[in-house]
Each structure stands twice: as structure tokens, then as C-alpha cells.
PDB file of all heavy atoms in Angstrom:
ATOM      1  N   THR A 694      11.571 -11.286  -8.434  1.00  0.00           N
ATOM      2  CA  THR A 694      11.932 -10.680  -7.194  1.00  0.00           C
ATOM      3  C   THR A 694      11.585  -9.151  -7.218  1.00  0.00           C
ATOM      4  O   THR A 694      11.030  -8.670  -6.237  1.00  0.00           O
ATOM      5  CB  THR A 694      13.526 -10.786  -7.010  1.00  0.00           C
ATOM      6  OG1 THR A 694      13.861 -12.112  -7.007  1.00  0.00           O
ATOM      7  CG2 THR A 694      13.906 -10.092  -5.700  1.00  0.00           C
ATOM      8  N   LEU A 695      11.838  -8.460  -8.374  1.00  0.00           N
ATOM      9  CA  LEU A 695      11.462  -7.073  -8.465  1.00  0.00           C
ATOM     10  C   LEU A 695      10.022  -6.916  -8.366  1.00  0.00           C
ATOM     11  O   LEU A 695       9.447  -6.005  -7.638  1.00  0.00           O
ATOM     12  CB  LEU A 695      11.912  -6.587  -9.793  1.00  0.00           C
ATOM     13  CG  LEU A 695      13.262  -5.779  -9.938  1.00  0.00           C
ATOM     14  CD1 LEU A 695      13.466  -5.360 -11.420  1.00  0.00           C
ATOM     15  CD2 LEU A 695      13.262  -4.596  -9.046  1.00  0.00           C
ATOM     16  N   ALA A 696       9.239  -7.763  -8.982  1.00  0.00           N
ATOM     17  CA  ALA A 696       7.731  -7.644  -8.936  1.00  0.00           C
ATOM     18  C   ALA A 696       7.214  -7.893  -7.517  1.00  0.00           C
ATOM     19  O   ALA A 696       6.321  -7.135  -7.104  1.00  0.00           O
ATOM     20  CB  ALA A 696       7.110  -8.704  -9.855  1.00  0.00           C
ATOM     21  N   VAL A 697       7.696  -8.867  -6.859  1.00  0.00           N
ATOM     22  CA  VAL A 697       7.304  -9.153  -5.485  1.00  0.00           C
ATOM     23  C   VAL A 697       7.590  -8.005  -4.526  1.00  0.00           C
ATOM     24  O   VAL A 697       6.854  -7.583  -3.711  1.00  0.00           O
ATOM     25  CB  VAL A 697       7.794 -10.541  -4.964  1.00  0.00           C
ATOM     26  CG1 VAL A 697       7.565 -10.678  -3.519  1.00  0.00           C
ATOM     27  CG2 VAL A 697       7.197 -11.656  -5.733  1.00  0.00           C
ATOM     28  N   LEU A 698       8.888  -7.566  -4.623  1.00  0.00           N
ATOM     29  CA  LEU A 698       9.331  -6.455  -3.777  1.00  0.00           C
ATOM     30  C   LEU A 698       8.550  -5.209  -4.047  1.00  0.00           C
ATOM     31  O   LEU A 698       8.122  -4.537  -3.110  1.00  0.00           O
ATOM     32  CB  LEU A 698      10.823  -6.138  -4.049  1.00  0.00           C
ATOM     33  CG  LEU A 698      11.922  -6.792  -3.224  1.00  0.00           C
ATOM     34  CD1 LEU A 698      13.259  -6.301  -3.569  1.00  0.00           C
ATOM     35  CD2 LEU A 698      11.606  -6.534  -1.795  1.00  0.00           C
ATOM     36  N   GLY A 699       8.314  -4.845  -5.375  1.00  0.00           N
ATOM     37  CA  GLY A 699       7.558  -3.709  -5.712  1.00  0.00           C
ATOM     38  C   GLY A 699       6.115  -3.848  -5.201  1.00  0.00           C
ATOM     39  O   GLY A 699       5.601  -2.785  -4.651  1.00  0.00           O
ATOM     40  N   THR A 700       5.528  -4.999  -5.291  1.00  0.00           N
ATOM     41  CA  THR A 700       4.214  -5.177  -4.712  1.00  0.00           C
ATOM     42  C   THR A 700       4.095  -4.979  -3.200  1.00  0.00           C
ATOM     43  O   THR A 700       3.237  -4.243  -2.703  1.00  0.00           O
ATOM     44  CB  THR A 700       3.730  -6.681  -5.133  1.00  0.00           C
ATOM     45  OG1 THR A 700       3.686  -6.814  -6.561  1.00  0.00           O
ATOM     46  CG2 THR A 700       2.365  -6.958  -4.579  1.00  0.00           C
ATOM     47  N   ILE A 701       4.989  -5.636  -2.523  1.00  0.00           N
ATOM     48  CA  ILE A 701       5.050  -5.472  -1.063  1.00  0.00           C
ATOM     49  C   ILE A 701       5.257  -3.984  -0.667  1.00  0.00           C
ATOM     50  O   ILE A 701       4.584  -3.477   0.191  1.00  0.00           O
ATOM     51  CB  ILE A 701       6.053  -6.391  -0.386  1.00  0.00           C
ATOM     52  CG1 ILE A 701       5.718  -7.895  -0.650  1.00  0.00           C
ATOM     53  CG2 ILE A 701       6.287  -6.054   1.121  1.00  0.00           C
ATOM     54  CD1 ILE A 701       6.826  -8.761  -0.275  1.00  0.00           C
ATOM     55  N   ASP A 702       6.275  -3.441  -1.188  1.00  0.00           N
ATOM     56  CA  ASP A 702       6.595  -2.094  -0.916  1.00  0.00           C
ATOM     57  C   ASP A 702       5.488  -1.136  -1.190  1.00  0.00           C
ATOM     58  O   ASP A 702       5.185  -0.237  -0.384  1.00  0.00           O
ATOM     59  CB  ASP A 702       7.899  -1.668  -1.826  1.00  0.00           C
ATOM     60  CG  ASP A 702       8.794  -0.614  -1.034  1.00  0.00           C
ATOM     61  OD1 ASP A 702       8.440  -0.238   0.077  1.00  0.00           O
ATOM     62  OD2 ASP A 702       9.788  -0.277  -1.641  1.00  0.00           O
ATOM     63  N   THR A 703       4.812  -1.292  -2.392  1.00  0.00           N
ATOM     64  CA  THR A 703       3.794  -0.441  -2.765  1.00  0.00           C
ATOM     65  C   THR A 703       2.551  -0.524  -1.868  1.00  0.00           C
ATOM     66  O   THR A 703       1.975   0.446  -1.353  1.00  0.00           O
ATOM     67  CB  THR A 703       3.369  -0.687  -4.167  1.00  0.00           C
ATOM     68  OG1 THR A 703       4.489  -0.353  -5.055  1.00  0.00           O
ATOM     69  CG2 THR A 703       2.172   0.049  -4.532  1.00  0.00           C
ATOM     70  N   LEU A 704       2.162  -1.706  -1.641  1.00  0.00           N
ATOM     71  CA  LEU A 704       0.934  -1.949  -0.915  1.00  0.00           C
ATOM     72  C   LEU A 704       1.032  -1.613   0.613  1.00  0.00           C
ATOM     73  O   LEU A 704       0.105  -1.258   1.217  1.00  0.00           O
ATOM     74  CB  LEU A 704       0.354  -3.396  -1.095  1.00  0.00           C
ATOM     75  CG  LEU A 704      -0.020  -3.725  -2.559  1.00  0.00           C
ATOM     76  CD1 LEU A 704      -0.636  -5.092  -2.663  1.00  0.00           C
ATOM     77  CD2 LEU A 704      -0.988  -2.714  -3.054  1.00  0.00           C
ATOM     78  N   LEU A 705       2.251  -1.789   1.187  1.00  0.00           N
ATOM     79  CA  LEU A 705       2.477  -1.344   2.564  1.00  0.00           C
ATOM     80  C   LEU A 705       2.341   0.162   2.590  1.00  0.00           C
ATOM     81  O   LEU A 705       1.869   0.687   3.606  1.00  0.00           O
ATOM     82  CB  LEU A 705       3.804  -1.850   3.031  1.00  0.00           C
ATOM     83  CG  LEU A 705       3.964  -3.311   3.268  1.00  0.00           C
ATOM     84  CD1 LEU A 705       5.398  -3.723   3.772  1.00  0.00           C
ATOM     85  CD2 LEU A 705       2.952  -3.837   4.327  1.00  0.00           C
ATOM     86  N   THR A 706       2.878   0.824   1.606  1.00  0.00           N
ATOM     87  CA  THR A 706       2.777   2.284   1.554  1.00  0.00           C
ATOM     88  C   THR A 706       1.281   2.685   1.440  1.00  0.00           C
ATOM     89  O   THR A 706       0.925   3.697   2.067  1.00  0.00           O
ATOM     90  CB  THR A 706       3.633   2.874   0.389  1.00  0.00           C
ATOM     91  OG1 THR A 706       5.020   2.497   0.588  1.00  0.00           O
ATOM     92  CG2 THR A 706       3.495   4.388   0.362  1.00  0.00           C
ATOM     93  N   SER A 707       0.607   1.931   0.592  1.00  0.00           N
ATOM     94  CA  SER A 707      -0.832   2.316   0.405  1.00  0.00           C
ATOM     95  C   SER A 707      -1.574   2.101   1.762  1.00  0.00           C
ATOM     96  O   SER A 707      -2.485   2.933   2.103  1.00  0.00           O
ATOM     97  CB  SER A 707      -1.470   1.267  -0.582  1.00  0.00           C
ATOM     98  OG  SER A 707      -0.873   1.459  -1.881  1.00  0.00           O
ATOM     99  N   ILE A 708      -1.219   1.127   2.573  1.00  0.00           N
ATOM    100  CA  ILE A 708      -1.829   1.028   3.885  1.00  0.00           C
ATOM    101  C   ILE A 708      -1.569   2.204   4.801  1.00  0.00           C
ATOM    102  O   ILE A 708      -2.378   2.684   5.523  1.00  0.00           O
ATOM    103  CB  ILE A 708      -1.386  -0.345   4.506  1.00  0.00           C
ATOM    104  CG1 ILE A 708      -1.972  -1.552   3.735  1.00  0.00           C
ATOM    105  CG2 ILE A 708      -1.799  -0.466   5.984  1.00  0.00           C
ATOM    106  CD1 ILE A 708      -1.370  -2.861   4.178  1.00  0.00           C
ATOM    107  N   VAL A 709      -0.290   2.658   4.710  1.00  0.00           N
ATOM    108  CA  VAL A 709       0.088   3.853   5.489  1.00  0.00           C
ATOM    109  C   VAL A 709      -0.682   5.035   5.052  1.00  0.00           C
ATOM    110  O   VAL A 709      -1.180   5.799   5.857  1.00  0.00           O
ATOM    111  CB  VAL A 709       1.603   4.108   5.303  1.00  0.00           C
ATOM    112  CG1 VAL A 709       2.030   5.456   6.006  1.00  0.00           C
ATOM    113  CG2 VAL A 709       2.439   3.013   5.919  1.00  0.00           C
ATOM    114  N   ALA A 710      -0.842   5.208   3.683  1.00  0.00           N
ATOM    115  CA  ALA A 710      -1.700   6.342   3.161  1.00  0.00           C
ATOM    116  C   ALA A 710      -3.100   6.234   3.658  1.00  0.00           C
ATOM    117  O   ALA A 710      -3.723   7.191   4.052  1.00  0.00           O
ATOM    118  CB  ALA A 710      -1.626   6.340   1.676  1.00  0.00           C
ATOM    119  N   ASP A 711      -3.696   5.004   3.597  1.00  0.00           N
ATOM    120  CA  ASP A 711      -4.993   4.814   4.170  1.00  0.00           C
ATOM    121  C   ASP A 711      -5.182   5.230   5.654  1.00  0.00           C
ATOM    122  O   ASP A 711      -6.191   5.902   6.039  1.00  0.00           O
ATOM    123  CB  ASP A 711      -5.370   3.360   4.044  1.00  0.00           C
ATOM    124  CG  ASP A 711      -5.703   2.916   2.572  1.00  0.00           C
ATOM    125  OD1 ASP A 711      -5.740   3.773   1.730  1.00  0.00           O
ATOM    126  OD2 ASP A 711      -5.811   1.697   2.436  1.00  0.00           O
ATOM    127  N   SER A 712      -4.166   4.913   6.405  1.00  0.00           N
ATOM    128  CA  SER A 712      -4.325   5.268   7.880  1.00  0.00           C
ATOM    129  C   SER A 712      -4.266   6.763   8.086  1.00  0.00           C
ATOM    130  O   SER A 712      -4.823   7.229   9.083  1.00  0.00           O
ATOM    131  CB  SER A 712      -3.140   4.572   8.594  1.00  0.00           C
ATOM    132  OG  SER A 712      -1.946   5.179   8.254  1.00  0.00           O
ATOM    133  N   ILE A 713      -3.554   7.506   7.169  1.00  0.00           N
ATOM    134  CA  ILE A 713      -3.473   8.964   7.344  1.00  0.00           C
ATOM    135  C   ILE A 713      -4.756   9.620   6.820  1.00  0.00           C
ATOM    136  O   ILE A 713      -5.343  10.558   7.405  1.00  0.00           O
ATOM    137  CB  ILE A 713      -2.238   9.535   6.627  1.00  0.00           C
ATOM    138  CG1 ILE A 713      -1.001   8.893   7.245  1.00  0.00           C
ATOM    139  CG2 ILE A 713      -2.210  11.029   6.701  1.00  0.00           C
ATOM    140  CD1 ILE A 713       0.291   9.286   6.546  1.00  0.00           C
ATOM    141  N   THR A 714      -5.195   9.172   5.603  1.00  0.00           N
ATOM    142  CA  THR A 714      -6.261   9.847   4.901  1.00  0.00           C
ATOM    143  C   THR A 714      -7.637   9.263   5.273  1.00  0.00           C
ATOM    144  O   THR A 714      -8.681   9.782   4.915  1.00  0.00           O
ATOM    145  CB  THR A 714      -6.124   9.725   3.421  1.00  0.00           C
ATOM    146  OG1 THR A 714      -6.121   8.337   3.035  1.00  0.00           O
ATOM    147  CG2 THR A 714      -4.824  10.353   2.984  1.00  0.00           C
ATOM    148  N   ARG A 715      -7.685   8.143   6.060  1.00  0.00           N
ATOM    149  CA  ARG A 715      -8.930   7.417   6.402  1.00  0.00           C
ATOM    150  C   ARG A 715      -9.733   7.045   5.181  1.00  0.00           C
ATOM    151  O   ARG A 715     -10.972   7.167   5.128  1.00  0.00           O
ATOM    152  CB  ARG A 715      -9.746   8.286   7.418  1.00  0.00           C
ATOM    153  CG  ARG A 715      -9.110   8.355   8.803  1.00  0.00           C
ATOM    154  CD  ARG A 715     -10.018   9.090   9.728  1.00  0.00           C
ATOM    155  NE  ARG A 715     -10.039  10.488   9.409  1.00  0.00           N
ATOM    156  CZ  ARG A 715     -10.894  11.339  10.009  1.00  0.00           C
ATOM    157  NH1 ARG A 715     -11.599  10.910  11.084  1.00  0.00           N
ATOM    158  NH2 ARG A 715     -10.975  12.548   9.602  1.00  0.00           N
ATOM    159  N   THR A 716      -9.079   6.640   4.124  1.00  0.00           N
ATOM    160  CA  THR A 716      -9.714   6.117   2.911  1.00  0.00           C
ATOM    161  C   THR A 716      -9.255   4.667   2.713  1.00  0.00           C
ATOM    162  O   THR A 716      -8.544   4.168   3.536  1.00  0.00           O
ATOM    163  CB  THR A 716      -9.326   6.931   1.684  1.00  0.00           C
ATOM    164  OG1 THR A 716      -7.813   6.953   1.563  1.00  0.00           O
ATOM    165  CG2 THR A 716      -9.793   8.364   1.840  1.00  0.00           C
ATOM    166  N   LYS A 717      -9.693   4.078   1.657  1.00  0.00           N
ATOM    167  CA  LYS A 717      -9.363   2.677   1.358  1.00  0.00           C
ATOM    168  C   LYS A 717      -8.854   2.546  -0.008  1.00  0.00           C
ATOM    169  O   LYS A 717      -9.565   2.921  -0.977  1.00  0.00           O
ATOM    170  CB  LYS A 717     -10.498   1.770   1.652  1.00  0.00           C
ATOM    171  CG  LYS A 717     -10.173   0.283   1.559  1.00  0.00           C
ATOM    172  CD  LYS A 717     -11.343  -0.571   1.992  1.00  0.00           C
ATOM    173  CE  LYS A 717     -11.010  -2.036   1.802  1.00  0.00           C
ATOM    174  NZ  LYS A 717      -9.950  -2.471   2.694  1.00  0.00           N
ATOM    175  N   HIS A 718      -7.578   2.052  -0.213  1.00  0.00           N
ATOM    176  CA  HIS A 718      -7.050   1.894  -1.537  1.00  0.00           C
ATOM    177  C   HIS A 718      -7.588   0.712  -2.276  1.00  0.00           C
ATOM    178  O   HIS A 718      -8.152  -0.250  -1.655  1.00  0.00           O
ATOM    179  CB  HIS A 718      -5.557   1.871  -1.495  1.00  0.00           C
ATOM    180  CG  HIS A 718      -4.954   0.624  -0.901  1.00  0.00           C
ATOM    181  ND1 HIS A 718      -4.960   0.313   0.364  1.00  0.00           N
ATOM    182  CD2 HIS A 718      -4.478  -0.476  -1.543  1.00  0.00           C
ATOM    183  CE1 HIS A 718      -4.373  -0.886   0.627  1.00  0.00           C
ATOM    184  NE2 HIS A 718      -4.064  -1.385  -0.604  1.00  0.00           N
ATOM    185  N   ASN A 719      -7.469   0.664  -3.552  1.00  0.00           N
ATOM    186  CA  ASN A 719      -7.807  -0.471  -4.410  1.00  0.00           C
ATOM    187  C   ASN A 719      -6.471  -1.154  -4.745  1.00  0.00           C
ATOM    188  O   ASN A 719      -5.785  -0.808  -5.604  1.00  0.00           O
ATOM    189  CB  ASN A 719      -8.578  -0.096  -5.612  1.00  0.00           C
ATOM    190  CG  ASN A 719      -9.040  -1.287  -6.467  1.00  0.00           C
ATOM    191  OD1 ASN A 719      -8.346  -2.330  -6.558  1.00  0.00           O
ATOM    192  ND2 ASN A 719     -10.150  -1.090  -7.188  1.00  0.00           N
ATOM    193  N   PRO A 720      -6.133  -2.375  -4.089  1.00  0.00           N
ATOM    194  CA  PRO A 720      -4.801  -2.988  -4.333  1.00  0.00           C
ATOM    195  C   PRO A 720      -4.709  -3.491  -5.782  1.00  0.00           C
ATOM    196  O   PRO A 720      -3.563  -3.410  -6.308  1.00  0.00           O
ATOM    197  CB  PRO A 720      -4.782  -4.129  -3.347  1.00  0.00           C
ATOM    198  CG  PRO A 720      -6.246  -4.380  -3.018  1.00  0.00           C
ATOM    199  CD  PRO A 720      -6.873  -3.001  -3.088  1.00  0.00           C
TER     200      PRO A 720
END
């Protein structure tokens, strides 16, 4: 549960960062 939650939480934040910086993260 921790791993799945952390994965979802992190990668959704990465998508937000991409939208602001106009870059693309490496999931």
C-alpha cells in the first residue's frame, strides 16, 4: 500500500512539475 501510494503521489506530482517547467520526467 505504501509503495503504490508513494508511486501514485510522486508521479502525479511529476506530471504537475512537467506542466510548469515544460519538461518531461523519467518515471
Side-chain angles (χ1 to χ4, degrees):
T694 301
L695 264 180
V697 171
L698 265 183
T700 297
I701 294 172
D702 210 359
T703 295
L704 296 185
L705 289 179
T706 300
S707 297
I708 292 171
V709 171
D711 287 349
S712 67
I713 299 174
T714 61
R715 289 184 294 175
T716 56
K717 186 174 179 60
H718 72 281
N719 183 329

